[in-house]
Amino acid sequence: MTPTSPARPARDLALVATMAGLMAALGLVPAIAPFGGAVPITAQSMGAMLAGALLGPRLGSASMALFLGLVALGLPLLSGGRGGLGAFAGPSIGYLVGFVAGAFVVGWLTHRLAVRPGGRYVLATGIVVNVVGGVALLYLLGVPATAWRADLSLGTATVAALAFVPGDLIKAVVAAVIARGVYAAYPGLGPAPRPRPRAAADA
Amino acid sequence: MGLFHPGTSLVHRVPAGVKLAALCAAGIGSVFAATPVGVSAYLAAAVLVLVVARVPGRALVRQLRPVLVFVVVLAVFHALVSGPGRAYVVVGMLLALVLLATALTMTTPTSALVDVVVRVAGPLRRVGVDPERLGLLLALGLRAIPVVLGLAGEVRDAQRARGLGASPRAFAVPLIVRSLRHADRVGEALAARGIDD
């Protein structure tokens, strides 16, 4: 428990579980799958950005880890109804790991850069944060993993992945627009307010 | 919900922890068995497990279809670039591991795997991870999926009732806000049961 966040483990557990459920719901949005269907364009990478942007680095990445845990336990939650441990042996393993890492980085950057005091979410900063943490980082992990699992050269795997970049950039924008809407409608998101110096002196 | 298909075969009766350990061993072993003979042995073992487990073919194909298409594309690519032998080793091993992992998932109930996770996480207690809390989290996650899907249905109905078309923003924002409010209520219920202590 970091000193800046109030100790509310019960609410944290509930938020992590609910965000994992939302991620599962996003998997039901039909996917577009141009490259043989093994690494489809999904709404789920948007879920990783939203988890980080809304819950912050710690809870956001925890919710993605829980989501992957539920997939590993045999639930068909990945888009296209895939699931089970088989998904982790396939070529999209890097993107799955990227969900967790991406949610953490998006959450960390969102809390530091995109959320103003008072809980206002700055759209332009949020888009940049989503592109860095939710797209660039995702490919940084996903492309080498595909190259490894499919025994392709990094260059070939990169070219194969390029087809997905435009879609993911659009998703980064959509996720930021959605995050701004949620920040406006639901107070209490964003980094926990830092304890005032007087309170710290009392402790 | 889930991919589990009940049965009474030998594969079904092996304890979940043993199956998981065997799958891990197969994954590690695959690095050292990357020869045509090794890959053939892996594929034969995977098919044997699936036959013994009597996994329904239709459900298996449904799970594997995305991977199979990718495997065909990859096999053609490798056959052209680095020869048929290399194509067989790379694609065969990928397929064998996916088949073995799918066999485990289809023959093991989710609850048994949750129990294994809680048991395996026992030693993590020393570094501050509470295995029971991990089990609770998995149970909450399982429960959250139908709840969020239910909320999604409500939001869609509300959208239609107001004559709004399919706007992702007008759908996602209320769905997420409702989900967060649901999480608040679950959090309060958990706190009332002493989880915050």
Side-chain angles (χ1 to χ4, degrees):
Chain A
M1 201 59 54
T2 53
T4 47
S5 77
R8 291 178 68 187
R11 181 168 181 265
D12 289 356
L13 279 175
L15 281 174
V16 167
T18 305
M19 191 52 79
L22 267 168
M23 184 75 170
L26 281 175
L28 298 178
V29 178
I32 317 157
F35 186 63
V39 189
I41 295 182
T42 75
Q44 263 173 346
S45 58
M46 208 164 74
M49 299 179 210
L50 283 171
L54 299 176
L55 299 189
R58 198 172 55 92
L59 300 184
S61 57
S63 71
M64 291 302 102
L66 172 61
F67 170 75
L68 293 183
L70 294 171
V71 170
L73 289 180
L75 300 184
L77 303 179
L78 293 174
S79 59
R82 289 172 310 134
L85 286 164
F88 293 87
S92 30
I93 169 66
Y95 294 95
L96 300 184
V97 174
F99 287 165
V100 181
F104 187 91
V105 171
V106 168
W108 195 83
L109 292 173
T110 301
H111 275 189
R112 260 154 203 79
L113 304 173
V115 182
R116 291 284 146 77
R120 199 169 66 83
Y121 181 89
V122 183
L123 185 64
T125 320
I127 292 173
V128 175
V129 163
N130 286 350
V131 169
V132 171
V135 182
L137 180 67
L138 197 68
Y139 283 84
L140 206 60
L141 295 167
V143 169
T146 305
W148 167 54
R149 292 306 298 164
D151 197 37
L152 299 167
S153 73
L154 265 183
T156 314
T158 307
V159 170
L162 280 179
F164 302 98
V165 172
D168 276 339
L169 292 176
I170 292 170
K171 278 186 272 179
V173 175
V174 174
V177 170
I178 292 172
R180 185 180 62 169
V182 175
Y183 267 89
Y186 180 87
L189 293 173
R194 286 164 204 288
R196 278 168 298 174
R198 199 162 59 83
D202 288 349
Chain B
M1 193 163 58
L3 304 170
F4 172 60
H5 282 262
T8 53
S9 76
L10 180 66
V11 184
H12 282 87
R13 280 179 283 141
V14 174
V18 175
K19 278 190 267 192
L20 266 176
L23 184 66
C24 287
I28 295 164
S30 71
V31 179
F32 305 101
T35 62
V37 178
V39 170
S40 301
Y42 261 76
L43 279 172
V47 171
L48 183 70
V49 169
L50 287 167
V51 169
V52 171
R54 291 195 204 163
V55 167
R58 191 178 296 172
L60 185 66
V61 169
R62 207 183 107 68
Q63 269 308 297
L64 293 178
R65 197 178 296 136
V67 182
L68 285 179
V69 180
F70 179 78
V71 157
V72 170
V73 173
L74 190 64
V76 171
F77 177 85
H78 273 295
L80 293 176
V81 173
S82 39
R86 186 84 194 123
Y88 176 65
V89 168
V90 171
V91 172
M93 192 53 95
L94 193 63
L95 191 61
L97 287 178
V98 171
L99 284 174
L100 284 172
T102 307
L104 181 142
T105 299
M106 296 181 98
T107 59
T108 316
T110 302
S111 57
L113 288 170
V114 172
D115 289 344
V116 172
V117 171
V118 173
R119 200 153 11 104
V120 170
L124 292 179
R125 204 185 286 276
R126 265 175 241 160
V127 292
V129 177
D130 182 348
E132 270 79 40
R133 187 149 293 187
L134 197 61
L136 174 65
L137 188 58
L138 285 170
L140 286 174
L142 284 171
R143 178 71 198 115
I145 297 162
V147 168
V148 171
L149 290 179
L151 291 175
E154 281 178 26
V155 171
R156 202 172 40 231
D157 287 347
Q159 223 178 343
R160 280 211 200 103
R162 282 177 285 130
L164 289 174
S167 148
R169 190 177 165 276
F171 178 71
V173 174
L175 172 61
I176 294 172
V177 169
R178 277 179 199 224
S179 300
L180 292 173
R181 291 206 184 111
H182 165 77
D184 282 341
R185 288 194 298 274
V186 172
E188 281 163 19
L190 288 171
R193 285 159 180 78
I195 299 295
D196 266 339
D197 300 336

